[in-house]
Structures are given as structure tokens and as C-alpha cells.
Amino acid sequence: MRARLAPDHLARTLIYAGIGGFVWFFFFQPSPFGSTLCVNALVGAGVVQYTGSKPFVIPLYVFLLALLVLSQFLLELFSPDGGQPGAALLGAAMGLGLPYLSYRIWGKP
């Protein structure tokens, strides 16, 4: 069970789940909340890489995640339909937090 909860494996699983969830919520069961949640979770899971002895952050993904979250807040303010800032924050927190929590609990991969 420890191998399945390794931070790098968990991050990859979140990325694949985000892709599958986006396809589901965009094409089959349209939901702006669900698709925003999935995209932010998959980008958030890719921000920190846990493959080496120490985790490292990819600056491009940090910029992309900040841009995604900021765009949802701006859409909420200026768009008549509104954005999904709650879904963006929840997805980013889930994508960043779950692998990091696994890293803190289980240690180095």
C-alpha cells in the first residue's frame, strides 16, 4: 500500500484523474465547476516533482496555476455568467496538497 501512496505515484494518479475528469465534465456531463476543478487539480499535481531525493518546483506550472486561479476570480468579478473560484482553489489545493501530505507522512520516495 505504501507504494501506491508514494508522492510521485499519487501525483501521477491525480494528473490522470484530472484528464479523465475534464473529458467527462466537458463532453459527457457538462459542468463548469467540475471541469475547472479537474484542470486545476491536474496542473496543481504537476507543480512539484517528487522523483528525486528532494522535491522540486517547476516554475512554469506555478505560473500556469496562478494564472488559472486568477482568471477564475476575474471571471467571477467581470463576467455575467461568473467564474468558478471555489473550484479553482479546491482543485489547486487538492493537486498540491495530497502529494505533499503523502511526502510528509511517508517520507522520500
Side-chain angles (χ1 to χ4, degrees), residues 5-57:
L5 291 177
D8 57 335
H9 189 268
L10 187 59
R12 267 191 314 241
T13 304
L14 280 171
I15 289 170
Y16 295 144
I19 293 168
F22 176 74
V23 168
W24 177 260
F25 286 121
F26 191 78
F27 293 112
F28 299 113
Q29 187 74 30
S31 169
F33 185 88
S35 60
T36 303
L37 178 83
C38 291
V39 167
N40 282 291
L42 83 94
V43 173
V47 167
V48 181
Q49 297 296 309
Y50 296 96
T51 55
S53 61
K54 288 179 65 175
F56 63 95
V57 177

